[in-house]
Amino acid sequence: MSADIATAVPHASQDAASAAKTPAGTGTTITSGLLPRINGPGDLRRLPPGRLPELAGEIRRFLVDKVSATGGHLGPNLGAVELSIALHRVFASPRDAIVFDTGHQAYVHKILTGRQGGFDRLRQAGGLSGYPSRAESVHDLVENSHASTALSYADGLARAFQLRGHTDRHVVAVIGDGALTGGLALEAVNNLGAAPGRPAIIVLNDNGRSYAPTVGGLASHLATLRRPGVPSPRPGVPNVFESLGFSYLGPVDGHDIGALEGALRQARALRRPVVVHAVTVKGKGYGPAENDRADHMHGIGVLDPATGRPHDVPGAAPPSWTSLFADEMTVIGAEHPGVVAITAAMPGPTGLAEFATRFPDRFFDVGIAEQHAVACAAGLALNGMHPIVAMYATFCNRAFDQALMDVALHRLPVTFVLDRAGITGPDGPSHHGMWDLVLLGMIPGLRIAAPRDATRLRELLHEAVGHDGGPTVVRYPKANAGPDIAAPRRLGGPDGVDVLSQHGDQALLVAVGPLAGPCLAAAAQLRHHGVGVTVVDPRWVAPVSPVLVELAAAHHLVVTAEDGLRTGGVGTAIATACADAGLTTPVRTLGLPREFIGHGERAHLLAAAGLDHRSITASVLEAVRPGVPGRTAPSPAGEPRPVGGWS
Ligand SMILES: Cc1ncc(C[n+]2csc(CCOP(=O)(O)OP(=O)(O)O)c2C)c(N)n1
Ligand SMILES: CC(=O)[C@@H](O)[C@H](O)COP(=O)(O)O
Ligand SMILES: [Mg+2]
C-alpha cells in the first residue's frame, strides 16, 4: 500500500498507513488493469501520462459497476474522472488541501486514495460514506454535503496556511456550477478575490447543470465563457472572476487530462487567487447517464448497468410522499391561482416538476439558494401570492433566519413543504432532516403539520394553503407513504387531533406523522400486556393543540414519538404545555438523539433510535411499569376509566 502522504493536514489522527483504510467490507478487489496498482496519489503520479486515458476508462467502468449495484451519485462522478486524476497528479494531498463542494462527486477521489475496496458497501451502514469522511482518510476534509461551502473552507484553510507560514502548500476548492449559485459561495468569492497574497485555487467543475440546467445570470455568464476559446463575455471585457480579483484560466476541456494538468500547474505557479474553469459533461462516458434528460443520473438507485434501468420489480411500489405531493400540487395549482411554487435547484427531487410544466409562470427555480428562495417567497407573499417553498428539510436549516425574520415576523402566508424530513438514510448526517421540528418549532406564529398518510397529506396541504395568518410547514420523510390510517374521531374541530385508537388511560401515545403506524402497532402489543393506551395524531404538531393537554389530563402517562430530535421538538413542547397547565402527568419523549447519525437504511436507523414499534412498546411498558418490562398486570386504575366526554 503506497503511502505518499507527507504531512497530514493537522486534523488527521491517523497515520499514513491507515490513511487509506477502508471500512471493513466484502469489497471485491479489482485484479486486472491499472486500478489495482493505484493505492494512493503517489501511484497515480508515477503512471506515465500515456496510460492515464486507460485509467480513466477503468475508473468509469468501476463507477458504473459499483454504483449501479449500490445506488449513489453516478452522473456527477462520471463527470469528475479526469478532473480528479489531474488534481491528484498536480497537487500533493493531504499536504495540499483539496476540498470538494457538496462532496457527492468525490467517489473518484476516494478510488484514487485507496478506498476502491469499500465501494461494495457504498452508503451502507458501516460502509463507505457517499461523501468525504475524515474517519476514512486524511485526504478527506469536508464531510458536510450541503452545497456552496467549499470556497469558504478554502478561504479559511488559506488564511491558516498563511498564518502558519505554510506558504508552499496549496488550497484547491472544487465547486460545481450549481453550487456556485449558492449565496455562501459568492460571499467566499468576495473574500478570496480580495486577497492576492493568499492564493486559493478554485476549480469550477462546470457541466451546466445542478439536477436540471443551472439557472440564473451566473449560469448564462458561464455559458458564454464555456464557448471554446472565449475567456470573457466580450473581447477585452473581463469576466466575472477577473472583475473580482481572480486570474481566470479557461475554459478547459474537463475530460482532457493533459489540458487539465497544464491549467492546474499554471494555477499552482501563479501563487494568487485563480479560477480554473473546467468544462465537463455530467454522466460522461456512460450512455444512459449522458442521455438522461432529467438529471444525467445525478443520483440513482440500484439499476441494471447494461440498460441503465432499474431491475424489474414485480408489483407496483406504494407511492412515495414526494409523488403524492407532486400530484396534489397540480390540484392546488388549479384551485388556487395565487399559489406559486419555488425550488432551490431541485424541481424533480422535490416533486415540483409537474407543477412547473402545468403552471410555468407560477414556478420559480432560484438555483441552490435556499435563503434567497425563502426571502423571495416573503416578497411574493407581501404582494398577495401564497408561495409554496419545497425543499429537503435539512437544506431549510440555512434559511432559518429568513423563515423567522423575513416570513414569520411579517406573518406572511408562506408554506414550506419539507421532504426528507427525519431520518433519510444513505446520505448520512448532513442529510437527515432531523432539525426542522426544533428549529421551526420555535418560530412564533409558524404552524407545522406532519401527515401520517396520503389522505392527511392532501388534507394538510390544503389546510396550509388556506391559512393566510402566517407561515405553515408540511413535513414528511424519504419513504413510501403507507396505507391510509383512518381516525374514528377528530377532537377540536376540523384542524384538530385525530384519535386513532382508544383502549385505556394508562398512556396517551402521541404520534407525529408516519410514526402513527408504529404507534398503533405498539398499542396493539401493549394491550397484550394488559396496558391500555390511547393513540392520537395531532396532524398540526406545532403549536401544541389544547386538545392534547386535555387528553393528557385524562391519562396516567404521555409518550410522544417523533422522527426528529428527541429534545426540543414536539414532545418537549407538549411536556411544556402540560406543565404550564399544571398537569403532573409524566411525559416521555421518543425521538432522535442529539447526535450526527451516520448513513444506513432508514428503517434500521429509526429502530436504533427507538422509533420502531417494538421499541415504542418497550418504552411505554418501561414507563408504565419501570424495571419490569413485558409483565402483564392490571391497569393501576383498574378498568380503563371513561375519560372526559369522548370515551
Ligand atoms: C444547500 C443544498 N441544497 C441542495 C442540495 C442538493 N444538491 C446536491 S448536489 C446538487 C446539484 C449540484 O450541482 P453542481 O454543484 O453543479 O454539481 P454537479 O452535480 O453538477 O457536479 C444539489 C442541488 C445540497 N446538497 N445542498
Ligand atoms: C448530494 C445531494 O444533496 C443530493 O443529491 C441528495 O443526495 C439527494 O438525496 P435523495 O437521493 O434523497 O434525493
Ligand atoms: Mg453542475
Side-chain angles (χ1 to χ4, degrees):
M1 171 86 65
S2 87
D4 72 314
I5 291 145
T7 315
V9 174
H11 73 277
S13 56
Q14 309 164 10
D15 58 31
S18 66
K21 173 175 67 68
T22 54
T26 55
T28 50
T29 49
I30 313 297
T31 55
S32 64
L34 295 170
L35 257 184
R37 293 160 48 184
I38 306 296
N39 292 296
D43 300 328
L44 179 65
R45 288 195 280 272
R46 284 187 282 273
L47 267 187
R51 302 294 303 273
L52 296 175
E54 178 189 344
L55 175 66
E58 287 185 33
I59 291 173
R60 273 197 174 84
R61 285 190 294 279
F62 179 92
L63 284 171
V64 173
D65 173 44
K66 299 296 182 184
V67 183
S68 63
T70 61
H73 291 95
L74 183 57
N77 284 282
L78 288 168
V81 172
E82 288 81 7
L83 187 55
S84 305
I85 290 172
L87 280 166
H88 279 296
R89 281 175 56 85
V90 173
F91 296 99
S93 170
R95 179 173 174 69
D96 294 331
I98 301 177
V99 181
F100 291 90
D101 195 287
T102 319
H104 63 306
Q105 79 294 57
Y107 295 2
V108 183
H109 159 79
K110 292 196 173 197
I111 290 165
L112 298 173
T113 51
R115 287 168 275 178
Q116 297 168 30
F119 276 83
D120 287 301
R121 296 184 61 213
L122 177 66
R123 302 175 4 132
Q124 293 168 17
L128 208 59
S129 167
Y131 301 97
S133 162
R134 298 178 345 144
E136 290 176 12
S137 171
V138 289
H139 294 285
D140 291 7
L141 287 173
V142 175
E143 306 180 1
N144 176 19
S145 59
H146 290 198
S148 315
T149 65
L151 304 190
S152 297
Y153 282 102
D155 189 23
L157 287 161
R159 292 173 191 269
F161 274 161
Q162 189 176 52
L163 286 169
R164 299 174 64 205
H166 292 163
T167 52
D168 58 335
R169 295 170 70 173
H170 302 278
V171 175
V172 184
V174 181
I175 187 167
D177 57 293
L180 194 61
T181 62
L184 191 56
L186 303 179
E187 292 167 28
V189 162
N190 185 43
N191 281 272
L192 287 166
R198 197 172 50 241
I201 298 165
I202 297 177
V203 178
L204 173 56
N205 174 18
D206 181 5
N207 52 30
R209 310 182 69 94
S210 292
Y211 283 79
T214 303
V215 298
L218 189 57
S220 306
H221 185 69
L222 292 181
T224 305
L225 301 184
R226 276 200 296 269
R227 291 207 303 266
V230 178
S232 70
R234 290 184 301 283
V237 174
N239 61 48
V240 64
F241 304 110
E242 292 166 325
S243 302
L244 293 176
F246 294 86
S247 296
Y248 171 85
L249 302 175
V252 183
D253 177 350
H255 301 295
D256 179 336
I257 299 172
L260 284 167
E261 285 197 33
L264 293 174
R265 292 188 198 285
Q266 190 180 349
R268 189 182 65 184
L270 275 175
R271 305 291 314 157
R272 66 180 315 280
V274 56
V275 170
V276 177
H277 183 187
V279 180
T280 62
V281 174
K282 198 169 209 175
K284 178 76 175 178
Y286 178 54
E290 283 197 44
N291 301 323
D292 172 25
R293 295 170 57 82
D295 59 23
H296 285 221
M297 288 197 169
H298 174 90
I300 62 168
V302 173
L303 51 75
D304 178 349
T307 63
R309 285 195 297 273
H311 298 286
D312 292 335
V313 178
S320 69
W321 288 99
T322 311
S323 63
L324 292 166
F325 166 65
D327 294 344
E328 200 59 22
M329 273 302 286
T330 58
V331 172
I332 288 171
E335 286 178 3
H336 299 271
V339 163
V340 294
I342 302 177
T343 180
M346 299 176 76
T350 59
L352 286 181
E354 181 57 28
F355 182 94
T357 303
R358 295 275 296 273
F359 310 101
D361 297 341
R362 292 156 54 195
F363 167 77
F364 310 114
D365 179 352
V366 297
I368 309 182
E370 286 81 3
Q371 291 174 296
H372 172 68
V374 176
C376 174
L380 281 154
L382 276 177
N383 219 351
M385 311 307 285
H386 190 124
I388 293 181
V389 184
M391 60 175 84
Y392 286 4
T394 189
F395 302 141
C396 191
N397 296 353
R398 63 172 45 174
F400 170 74
D401 192 57
Q402 283 66 48
L404 178 70
M405 291 301 175
D406 295 307
V407 175
L409 178 66
H410 302 107
R411 293 185 297 282
L412 293 171
V414 173
T415 296
F416 297 83
V417 175
L418 303 183
D419 198 334
R420 273 58 175 177
I423 290 289
T424 54
D427 272 311
S430 49
H431 266 75
H432 295 312
M434 54 193 277
W435 323 99
D436 61 305
L437 292 175
V438 173
L439 281 176
L440 303 180
M442 70 173 90
I443 295 181
L446 178 142
R447 303 177 68 213
I448 302 175
R452 64 175 183 269
D453 56 24
T455 297
R456 263 40 69 176
L457 173 64
R458 288 188 277 269
E459 258 180 23
L460 288 165
L461 283 172
H462 284 272
E463 289 175 29
V465 164
H467 179 71
D468 56 13
T472 49
V473 175
V474 180
R475 53 108 64 182
Y476 45 79
K478 175 177 187 174
N480 294 328
D484 265 12
I485 299 174
R489 288 175 199 77
R490 177 165 295 175
L491 301 175
D495 64 351
V497 174
D498 279 352
V499 178
L500 304 182
S501 75
Q502 198 271 328
H503 296 289
D505 63 357
Q506 288 176 271
L508 174 69
L509 206 35
V510 183
V512 172
L515 289 181
C519 285
L520 281 169
Q525 285 185 323
L526 288 161
R527 283 186 70 189
H528 292 312
H529 291 284
V531 177
V533 309
T534 301
V535 182
V536 296
D537 167 14
R539 301 168 65 252
W540 290 97
V541 296
V544 176
S545 163
V547 171
L548 283 181
V549 178
E550 289 168 30
L551 287 165
H555 287 80
H556 291 274
L557 166 74
V558 177
V559 177
T560 64
E562 59 198 287
D563 186 3
L565 283 179
R566 190 178 73 80
T567 54
V570 174
T572 302
I574 291 172
T576 305
C578 290
D580 291 350
L583 298 191
T584 56
T585 314
V587 179
R588 172 172 285 215
T589 62
L590 305 179
L592 303 174
R594 194 185 294 269
E595 294 167 6
F596 294 112
I597 297 173
H599 54 271
E601 284 304 310
R602 171 174 158 80
H604 298 159
L605 295 172
L606 285 172
L611 292 172
D612 62 320
H613 74 275
R614 288 187 184 81
S615 307
I616 295 169
T617 302
S619 293
V620 175
L621 280 178
E622 177 58 29
V624 168
R625 291 196 294 271
V628 189
R631 199 183 60 178
T632 302
S635 153
E639 283 309 307
R641 287 185 296 151
V643 276
W646 53 271
S647 62

